[in-house]
Amino acid sequence: MRLFVSVDVDPLADGIADAQDRLPDAGGLRFVDPGNAHVTLKFLGEVDSGRQDALESALATAVDDAAVAPFELTLGGYGVFPSLDYISVVWTGVRRGGPELTRLHEAVERETTSLGFDPADHDFTPHVTLARMDDARGKAAVQRAVADADPDVGSAEVRDVRLTKSTLTDDGPEYETIGRYPL
């Protein structure tokens, strides 16, 4: 099964949709379903079901070790990966809650790599993906939005970390929470 570890931002779906609506002239974008929005702490990829118990135990340990209490997460602005010259992902950033997310990410990273999962191959940048850019038709519109727009997406309280199963379909990914780890 295909798994990732995340902090979900379900209450911010309307604000995420509003931020996406500010990019209507950007052709070539494939928007994420606002109801599926989340901050990914660690993408695990395909995981054999026989590893699930050890993984769930490691995630419980990671959340305990991070010692993060419930916190307010505020999202806003635009950013892109990997760069403005070559855009593959358009995202909104974390304005409040970044240190807490980083501590959670570091603890999850430590515990999952000790189980043999591959370490992250890039620096952690807490964000919520708004869209993926399939081609460069809308590149100039996205560049303008990143430079000129500063959407306020909103705030929500984070109370847990989730282990999520992702099933890829023709209509986009379908997510199922298979584990929750309270802060």
Side-chain angles (χ1 to χ4, degrees), residues 33-98:
D33 178 349
N36 285 339
H38 60 273
V39 176
T40 302
L41 298 176
K42 173 82 174 175
F43 180 74
L44 299 167
E46 288 296 325
V47 178
D48 183 270
S49 60
R51 297 179 78 186
Q52 188 172 339
D53 288 344
L55 176 59
E56 290 194 42
S57 178
L59 293 176
T61 297
V63 172
D64 285 345
D65 288 352
V68 172
F71 64 96
E72 186 172 324
L73 175 67
T74 302
L75 300 176
Y78 288 123
V80 298
F81 290 134
S83 71
L84 281 172
D85 291 328
Y86 179 80
I87 301 168
S88 63
V89 173
V90 181
W91 48 265
T92 187
V94 173
R95 290 186 168 159
R96 183 172 177 195

Side-chain angles (χ1 to χ4, degrees), residues 90-171:
V90 181
W91 48 265
T92 187
V94 173
R95 290 186 168 159
R96 183 172 177 195
E100 292 88 348
L101 290 169
T102 299
R103 284 204 325 262
L104 288 165
H105 161 76
E106 289 170 350
V108 167
E109 183 73 13
R110 195 168 40 252
E111 289 297 319
T112 56
T113 56
S114 75
L115 289 177
F117 288 94
D118 290 337
D121 61 357
H122 56 278
D123 291 336
F124 179 65
T125 302
H127 69 280
V128 171
T129 298
L130 299 173
R132 289 179 173 75
M133 184 160 261
D134 291 330
D135 61 61
R137 283 179 290 146
K139 178 178 170 181
V142 172
Q143 289 170 326
R144 280 191 305 277
V146 169
D148 300 335
D150 190 23
D152 179 21
V153 173
S155 297
E157 185 174 27
V158 174
R159 299 180 105 8
D160 62 22
V161 169
R162 298 182 189 183
L163 177 60
T164 303
K165 178 181 174 183
S166 172
T167 303
L168 301 178
T169 72
D170 290 339
D171 296 327

